[in-house]
Amino acid sequence: MSIEIGVDIGGTFTDLVCRAAGVPDRILKVPSTPDDPARAVIDGITRLHETFGVEPADITRVVHGTTVATNAVLERKGACTGLITTEGFRDVLEIGRQMRTALYDLSLQAETPVFLAPGARRVEVCERLSASGDVVIPLDEATVISAAERLVAAGVESVAVCLLFSFLDPTHERRIRDLLAEHHPHLTVSLSSEVDPAFREYERTAVTAFDAYVKPVLSRYLARMGENLAAQGVRAPLQVMQSRGGVSGEGVAVQRPVRLFLSGPAAGVIGGRHCARMAGHTDVITVDIGGTSCDIALVSEGTPVVRAEGHIDGFPVRVPMVDVNAIGAGGGSVAWIDAAGGLRVGPHSAGADPGPACYGRGGEEATVTDASVVLGYVNPEYFAAGTLALDPELARRVIDTRIAAPLGLEGKAAALGIHRIVNAQMAEGIRLVSIRRGFDPRDFVLVALGGAGPLHATVLAEELGIGTVIVPRHPGVLSAAGLLAAPVEHEVSQGFPRDISARALDDVRAVLDDLDRRCNALMAAEQVDTGAVRIAYAADVCFVGQSHHLEVPLAMTGADAMDALYRRFLALHEQVYGYSADSPARIVNIRSVHRAGGVEDWNDVTETFEKGRAIKAEREVLLRDADGPVMVPVYNRSTLGAGFVFHGPAIVEQADTTTVVHDGWVAEVLPSAELMVTRETKEDS
C-alpha cells in the first residue's frame, strides 16, 4: 500500500494526516517539541504505527510544513552572517527606506534588520556595474579574499553577497562565490542574483541576508529530519511546503530557504481551496482561527492570491508568498479594558500556557475561549475531544471580575461583547484581503478552518454578506491535509526593466527561455517528469514613473503578446486601485512558474460514519441579537452522513472543533463529507 503523510508543526501540537487510496484519512495530533521540532514528527510516525498499523516502509511521500526558518528570525537564532557589498554600499541594510512607523517615540528602535549583519560583519569589495549592467570597475579579487578573511575572523558561517545591479549581470557575484568556496569551503553563500534578481537594492540586500541567516539552520534541521525518518524505516523523500503554495524536495529547499517563510499558513489555504472545489466553488476566502491568531487568505478562480513581498517580524522580505493576512485574534486572545473604559480584545494572547482561565493552569485574564464557554458554545467536557477538561466556573469568574463588573454588565452580556469585538476584527481582516484588492466578498464562499474557525464562521459571513460557509471534515488539521494537495512548484524570476512595446517581445522570449532552463533544472533535481510540468508566466508591470507594480499573467501566444499584457495590466489596475489610465507602462520583472502534480479533489477518499443518534444533547446558549439564552440541539458530527440537513440555531461537535450554526442558516453534509452552511431562504424554512 502506498501511503502519504502530511505533517504540520504548530506551537502546541504537531498535526499528521495519513492518506492512502480508498482508505479514510487517519489524523493524529502529538505534542510539539519546540526544542527539536523533528522529534515530534518522529513521535507522530511512531504513533501512526502503534495506533493505525502504518508501516514506515509503506510510506512513499512525506510533506512537511515548517516554521523553522520563521522561528530562527523571530528568536534571533540564525547563523552568524556576513554581508559582502559593492564599495560604498555597506550600509544599505541599515539605512533602509525613508518610511518609519514610529516617528515620535522617545526611544526609536531600528526598523531595518541590522541584526542579520551588524556593521562589523559588513564588508566591501572593489567592483561596479552601471545601471544598464555594463562593467564600470572590474572585480578586484584581492579585495574579495581580504574581505572573506575579515568575515571568517569575525566568526561568520554564512555569507550574503549583494552587489549593485547584479541582477543585470551576475558574473561578479558568481565569481565571489567561487573564491569563497576555494578559500573557505565551510562557508554557506547566498547570492542576491539568485535569491532576488530584481531592482531596489535595500529589499534585495535584506532578503539575501535573510536567506543567508537561515540557510545553515534549515540545512541542519532538514538533514536531521531526513536521518531520523530513515532511522525509523521511512525511505520516502522529504518534501517541504514553500510560502507561495507549492512544495519542493529538501535538497532544493535548502538552496533557497527564504522561500520557506510562512509555509504553514500557505498549506491551510491550499487545503481550503480543495475543500471548496469539492463543493463546486472556486472563489474562496479561507479563515484559519487558532489559539493566538487568525490567518485570512483569498482564492480567486481556484488560484490563491500571491503577493510579491511579505513581512517577517515587521521587516520586508521580498519573496512571493500566499497573501495571508494574520491578525492577533484567536481563542487565547485576551479581553481587556482600555484607559478610556472601552472593551478591547487582543492582540496579546494567553498562549497555551497558562492559557485561558478555563484551562485551570493559572490563567488570570479573560479570553475569547472563556467567553465561548460562558456563552455555551464550547462544551467544557468535550474540548479537544475531552483531552482537556475546561472549568466553566473559572471562565465565568474571570469574565465577571475582569470585564463585566468594570463595565457594569451581566457576565453573559460581557462575554457576548467579547465575541462581537473579536468577530468585528476578523471581519475587517477579511475586508483587507478582499475589498482592498478589488474583490467583493459577497461573491465568495467562506471556508472555516483551524480549531476555532467554525465557531465564528456564520457570524463573519453575515457581517460580510457572504451566503455560504464550508466547514471541512477535519478543519483542525486541514493545513496538514493541504500539504498533500499541493503541487511541486518552482518559480524563477529575472529583473527586466523595459517599456512594454512590440520591440521587447524577442527579448522577453529570450529571458523566458533562460528562466525555463533554470526551472527545468530544479524540476530535474526533484526527479519530476518534464512532460507532466505545467508552465505559467507573469510580469511585474507598472506605469512609467510609478513606484509599485502589479503581477500580471503573461501569455506568449503570438505577436500581440505585449499588447495583451498591457490590456491585462490596465484591467488589473482598475480592479485593484479603482482607476486606470491610457499611459505608457513598463515591465519590472519577469517570472516563470513550473508546477507538477497536486490533486484536484479528494473524492477518492471514503469517509465512514458512526452509528448513533445525530443529536447528542441540548444546550443553553446565548446567540447574537437574541433576547436571552435559548436551548439548541448539539449534533455529533461523526454520525452525520452525506445528505443530512439541519437548521440553525444548532451546534456541531467533533474532535478538533465546534461549529456554531446561527439562526437563519441551514446546514447540509456533502457527499465529500464537508459541511456546507448556507443562508436560509423562505423555501428552506
Side-chain angles (χ1 to χ4, degrees):
M1 178 183 292
S2 176
I3 297 174
E4 297 183 342
I5 306 291
V7 184
D8 181 53
I9 298 179
T12 305
F13 290 102
T14 293
D15 301 332
L16 294 93
V17 170
C18 180
R19 177 163 297 159
V23 178
D25 283 355
R26 287 156 288 186
I27 66 173
L28 191 67
K29 282 180 173 286
V30 297
S32 294
T33 51
D35 60 315
D36 181 10
R39 195 170 73 251
V41 178
I42 302 307
D43 292 344
I45 298 292
T46 302
R47 286 273 304 278
L48 284 174
H49 174 70
E50 295 172 349
T51 306
F52 301 110
V54 174
E55 293 293 340
D58 293 336
I59 298 174
T60 57
R61 183 175 178 230
V62 178
V63 191
H64 178 26
T66 177
T67 58
V68 169
T70 304
N71 290 343
V73 173
L74 297 179
E75 298 171 8
R76 303 293 191 265
K77 292 182 178 179
C80 182
T81 303
L83 175 64
I84 295 179
T85 68
T86 301
E87 192 171 52
F89 290 85
R90 67 188 295 270
D91 292 326
V92 164
L93 184 67
E94 191 159 356
I95 295 171
R97 294 289 174 195
Q98 67 177 357
M99 299 300 294
R100 295 292 182 267
T101 59
L103 293 177
Y104 304 109
D105 287 359
L106 294 178
S107 176
L108 294 178
Q109 302 297 318
E111 296 193 32
T112 55
V114 182
F115 70 92
L116 297 173
R121 300 204 302 265
R122 299 196 299 265
V123 295
E124 301 174 346
V125 296
C126 183
E127 69 86 45
R128 187 67 179 266
L129 298 183
S130 70
S132 59
D134 299 322
V135 177
V136 177
I137 301 175
L139 177 65
D140 185 340
E141 296 187 0
T143 63
V144 175
I145 296 171
S146 174
E149 295 291 345
R150 290 172 54 194
L151 292 178
V152 170
V156 164
E157 63 173 314
S158 189
V159 177
V161 182
C162 189
L163 305 181
L164 199 64
F165 299 117
S166 60
F167 60 92
L168 297 175
D169 183 356
T171 303
H172 286 180
E173 286 196 352
R174 292 173 180 172
R175 181 53 185 160
I176 290 175
R177 177 170 58 190
D178 292 341
L179 290 170
L180 293 176
E182 178 183 344
H183 292 272
H184 304 284
H186 69 284
L187 294 175
T188 60
V189 181
S190 297
L191 304 185
S192 73
S193 53
E194 295 177 355
V195 174
D196 182 35
F199 85 119
R200 294 187 185 277
E201 65 271 27
Y202 166 62
E203 288 79 3
R204 184 160 50 91
T205 301
V207 72
T208 306
F210 273 116
D211 190 84
Y213 185 72
V214 301
K215 184 175 285 187
V217 175
L218 195 76
S219 180
R220 289 191 291 265
Y221 168 74
L222 291 178
R224 188 168 61 254
M225 177 78 77
E227 293 169 358
N228 291 346
L229 288 172
Q232 290 291 109
V234 179
R235 297 188 294 268
L238 176 63
Q239 295 180 321
V240 188
M241 171 62 78
Q242 301 177 90
S243 56
R244 65 171 290 135
V247 300
S248 68
E250 61 172 313
V252 177
V254 297
Q255 297 177 26
R256 308 191 295 178
V258 75
R259 295 174 180 269
L260 303 185
F261 284 140
L262 303 179
S263 68
V269 178
I270 300 301
R273 175 187 67 177
H274 283 273
C275 286
R277 185 193 298 274
M278 293 171 65
H281 298 278
T282 57
D283 292 325
V284 182
I285 295 173
T286 64
V287 55
D288 183 353
I289 306 174
T292 59
S293 67
C294 171
D295 296 329
I296 305 163
L298 185 141
V299 177
S300 176
E301 297 181 358
T303 302
V305 173
V306 175
R307 61 185 177 195
E309 180 179 287
H311 288 80
I312 300 295
D313 202 21
F315 303 116
V317 181
R318 195 164 62 180
V319 174
M321 57 180 62
V322 174
D323 188 8
V324 177
N325 180 27
I327 62 175
S333 295
V334 172
W336 51 287
I337 309 295
D338 65 18
L343 177 59
R344 306 284 295 276
V345 180
H348 49 291
S349 169
D353 188 12
C358 59
Y359 280 17
R361 297 174 177 170
E364 297 179 351
E365 302 285 350
T367 68
V368 174
T369 296
D370 293 310
S372 298
V373 171
V374 170
L375 293 172
Y377 300 162
V378 171
N379 182 355
E381 299 177 359
Y382 193 68
F383 187 75
T387 59
L388 177 60
L390 305 183
D391 188 333
E393 182 55 37
L394 290 177
R396 284 190 288 268
R397 188 184 308 161
V398 74
I399 287 181
D400 284 342
T401 56
R402 293 278 185 168
I403 306 299
L407 294 177
L409 296 174
E410 188 268 333
K412 288 189 176 181
L416 190 60
I418 292 171
H419 260 253
R420 284 174 172 161
I421 289 174
V422 77
N423 287 334
Q425 293 173 179
M426 295 175 187
E428 186 61 26
I430 294 174
R431 292 186 183 98
L432 288 176
V433 302
S434 55
I435 296 172
R436 183 184 65 176
R437 289 187 168 272
F439 296 102
D440 188 339
R442 294 173 294 184
D443 298 332
F444 291 74
V445 301
L446 189 69
V447 177
L449 57 143
L455 193 147
H456 297 268
T458 53
V459 172
L460 293 176
E462 284 187 347
E463 175 76 17
L464 297 158
I466 296 174
T468 301
V469 173
I470 296 174
V471 181
R473 181 71 183 95
H474 302 293
V477 296
L478 193 64
S479 289
L483 293 167
L484 299 177
V488 175
E489 179 181 287
H490 290 294
E491 173 265 341
V492 177
S493 63
Q494 176 64 54
F496 187 80
R498 289 283 300 274
D499 290 349
I500 295 179
S501 69
R503 295 190 302 273
L505 184 59
D506 290 340
D507 291 337
V508 170
R509 285 199 179 102
V511 171
L512 289 175
D513 287 343
D514 179 63
L515 296 180
D516 284 340
R517 282 193 293 271
R518 292 161 63 185
C519 281
N520 287 336
L522 293 171
M523 283 293 188
E526 306 267 19
Q527 298 181 340
V528 172
D529 179 10
T530 55
V533 174
R534 307 181 297 277
I535 301 175
Y537 301 126
D540 294 333
V541 182
C542 65
F543 288 116
V544 172
Q546 195 174 25
S547 298
H548 299 283
H549 55 257
L550 295 171
E551 181 180 293
V552 185
L554 172 60
M556 302 298 291
T557 54
D560 65 341
M562 293 296 98
D563 184 56
L565 176 68
Y566 178 70
R567 293 196 303 271
R568 290 192 196 96
F569 166 67
L570 294 182
L572 184 60
H573 201 281
E574 176 77 28
Q575 174 188 321
V576 174
Y577 296 115
Y579 75 96
S580 190
D582 187 16
S583 301
R586 68 195 312 262
I587 299 173
V588 178
N589 307 303
I590 297 176
R591 65 179 44 85
S592 175
V593 182
H594 287 213
R595 300 183 182 92
V599 299
E600 295 301 318
D601 58 57
W602 296 332
N603 283 325
D604 61 335
V605 179
T606 304
E607 290 287 348
T608 58
F609 300 92
E610 300 175 3
K611 292 183 179 180
R613 294 185 57 201
I615 298 179
K616 60 189 294 188
E618 287 191 339
R619 191 156 69 237
E620 186 178 85
V621 303
L622 180 62
L623 301 171
R624 77 305 175 243
D625 300 329
D627 294 331
V630 295
M631 294 297 295
V632 303
V634 179
Y635 290 91
N636 180 359
R637 186 164 183 182
S638 63
T639 65
L640 306 184
F644 187 88
V645 177
F646 62 92
H647 297 260
I651 288 176
V652 183
E653 291 183 349
Q654 60 190 94
D656 55 342
T657 192
T658 297
T659 302
V660 177
V661 180
H662 285 264
D663 55 313
W665 293 79
V666 58
E668 178 183 1
V669 181
L670 301 179
S672 56
E674 273 71 37
L675 184 66
M676 185 167 70
V677 188
T678 56
R679 282 184 179 275
E680 194 170 12
T681 63
K682 291 182 178 179
E683 290 76 12
D684 295 324
S685 56

